[in-house]
Amino acid sequence: MTAPARPRPKVYNTSVPDADTMVRLHLSESPYGASPAAVEAATAALERVHRYPAPQRETLVAALAAHWGVAEDQIAVANGSDELVLATALTLGDLSRPGLVSEGTFPGYPEALERIGRGAVARPLRDGAVDVADFADRLPQYGIGYVCNPHNPSGTALAREAFARLVDAADAGGVPLVFDEAYQEFGDPDLPQTRDFLDRGAPVLALRTFSKAYGLAALRIGYAVGRADLIAEVRRTLNVLPFSVNRVAQAGALAALADQGFLRRIREGTAERRRWFHAELQRRGYRYVPSETNFVAVRVEDSATAQEVLAKEHGILVRDTGMFGFPGHLRVSLGTERELQQFLDALDRLTAP
């Protein structure tokens, strides 16, 4: 007997040989690095690498609860928000029903749902953003929903009224709704976020990460904040891997959270660079999706070829958003001004008649 053939898994963040010697504008990494206090705390934690980390992450949980003004049982800490995507898919809502996602967004949601056997149904975007009316109307038919806001890879963000409509749909249908807010810290502080709606008691939770604005991508640490009963279920699933959040990551995240002045400077610096990049794209005649994040989706007709040529001929890594189901754009991280100038000059040569 022979085992049935299985499809090759999709890999969206493939390693690139010599990537550290290239211009890295493909993974929305922070060009500012991490808070010096976070680096110092993470370094000090190396002295105890022979000891297992705290399995319940209680010190960081308490700090996050205080930061958000919620109870400690409304916080779950995990090995990056990717682990939380899988944990919520395994855990929440009616497991006999598929999940509802949008097309053209972070592929981890449907991949997790498909892998565990729940399945996923994707609804099309409208002008590079979640079609809120359509999503809200359909959500009660599904077991769980995932909304990326701000949206990856378009960089758009929901208005408060639209956000509220999704929360109301989750509440009315009793369907858990997961908002992935990995890029929330880069946007305007007045952008709606899940924390604003927790007091309504709706079955919602947010996924947050220390990888992006906090600059701790290599440490892999994220968290969920939401309704207590949902968080309790997620924690039970995370307990299967009690030591998945390592000691160094916990120490670094705790110090990073305490350094809100550093985070404020990151937000301000990113906003300034984003305005400059938008203006420069416009000056050079490129179309783009106005962003609220630390990346911009730049319109390029053959984005797959452009990604390959930029890497091979110019040493510049960007992300073809076609792999997200959002073709015809390059997602360009807001790196240093010099790196973005290199990208723009290369793109000029690539698109010249």
Side-chain angles (χ1 to χ4, degrees):
M1 296 179 64
T2 58
R6 292 185 177 181
R8 291 177 62 85
K10 296 178 182 178
V11 181
Y12 298 94
N13 292 308
T14 53
S15 298
V16 178
D18 302 320
D20 285 345
T21 67
M22 303 171 77
V23 176
R24 296 173 59 100
L25 302 177
H26 64 314
L27 293 177
S28 56
E29 296 165 327
S30 173
Y32 302 99
S35 159
V39 174
E40 182 180 352
T43 302
L46 289 170
E47 296 180 1
R48 300 192 67 208
V49 293
H50 60 300
R51 303 297 188 190
Y52 282 107
Q56 299 303 320
R57 305 110 199 205
E58 55 270 6
T59 303
L60 183 55
V61 165
L64 286 165
H67 176 75
W68 288 108
V70 298
E72 292 182 20
D73 62 2
Q74 291 181 266
I75 300 288
V77 174
N79 186 300
S81 54
D82 291 327
E83 186 174 66
L84 287 162
V85 170
L86 181 58
T88 53
L90 282 165
T91 303
L92 299 182
D94 185 344
L95 301 182
S96 69
R97 292 188 177 190
L100 183 63
V101 301
S102 64
E103 292 179 352
T105 193
F106 179 62
Y109 321 135
E111 284 290 304
L113 290 162
E114 294 288 355
R115 182 59 182 158
I116 66 172
R118 289 184 77 165
V121 173
R123 298 299 301 164
L125 299 176
R126 180 185 292 272
D127 299 325
V130 176
D131 187 336
V132 170
D134 175 73
F135 200 99
D137 288 345
R138 294 175 182 274
L139 183 60
Q141 306 167 34
Y142 294 88
I144 191 171
Y146 290 87
V147 171
C148 190
N149 183 63
H151 187 267
N152 178 20
S154 72
T156 59
L158 296 173
R160 184 165 296 275
E161 182 179 348
F163 199 108
R165 182 167 182 177
L166 290 171
V167 173
D168 289 343
D171 197 18
V175 177
L177 181 55
V178 180
F179 287 98
D180 186 346
E181 297 179 345
Y183 297 93
Q184 186 82 32
E185 283 89 357
F186 295 111
D188 189 298
D190 291 331
L191 285 177
Q193 57 186 334
T194 305
R195 175 62 187 92
D196 301 338
F197 296 85
L198 288 181
D199 293 341
R200 297 189 181 188
V204 297
L205 71 162
L207 307 185
R208 293 283 187 136
T209 182
F210 284 93
S211 296
K212 304 304 182 184
Y214 286 102
L216 299 179
L219 295 187
R220 309 306 308 129
I221 187 162
Y223 63 97
V225 53
R227 205 172 74 179
D229 61 325
L230 301 180
I231 294 297
E233 290 301 319
V234 170
R235 282 188 177 187
R236 290 189 183 99
T237 299
L238 294 175
N239 283 341
V240 175
L241 299 170
F243 302 116
S244 69
V245 184
N246 68 74
R247 176 182 296 280
V248 176
Q250 291 188 48
L254 188 64
L257 184 68
D259 193 353
Q260 288 298 303
F262 179 84
L263 184 65
R264 184 169 56 254
R265 292 191 293 275
I266 297 304
R267 176 184 285 120
E268 292 169 353
T270 300
E272 181 179 350
R273 187 153 299 155
R274 191 168 56 223
R275 286 191 292 269
W276 172 85
F277 191 51
H278 283 170
E280 192 65 14
L281 287 167
Q282 193 167 5
R283 185 183 72 82
R284 298 187 189 218
Y286 294 110
R287 289 182 292 163
Y288 63 93
V289 181
S291 175
E292 290 284 351
T293 67
N294 70 330
F295 59 80
V296 177
V298 180
R299 178 70 180 169
V300 177
E301 201 63 38
D302 187 351
S303 52
T305 298
Q307 173 187 260
E308 184 175 357
V309 172
L310 285 167
K312 288 185 175 180
E313 299 184 10
H314 301 278
I316 299 171
L317 299 173
V318 292
R319 179 66 83 219
D320 165 30
T321 59
M323 67 179 64
F324 292 77
F326 186 63
H329 295 80
L330 295 174
R331 191 189 69 184
V332 183
S333 307
L334 293 173
T336 66
E337 187 171 319
R338 181 175 179 272
E339 290 171 334
L340 293 172
Q341 287 281 11
Q342 287 180 258
F343 162 76
L344 289 165
D345 292 344
L347 191 62
D348 283 347
R349 292 191 289 272
L350 181 63
T351 59

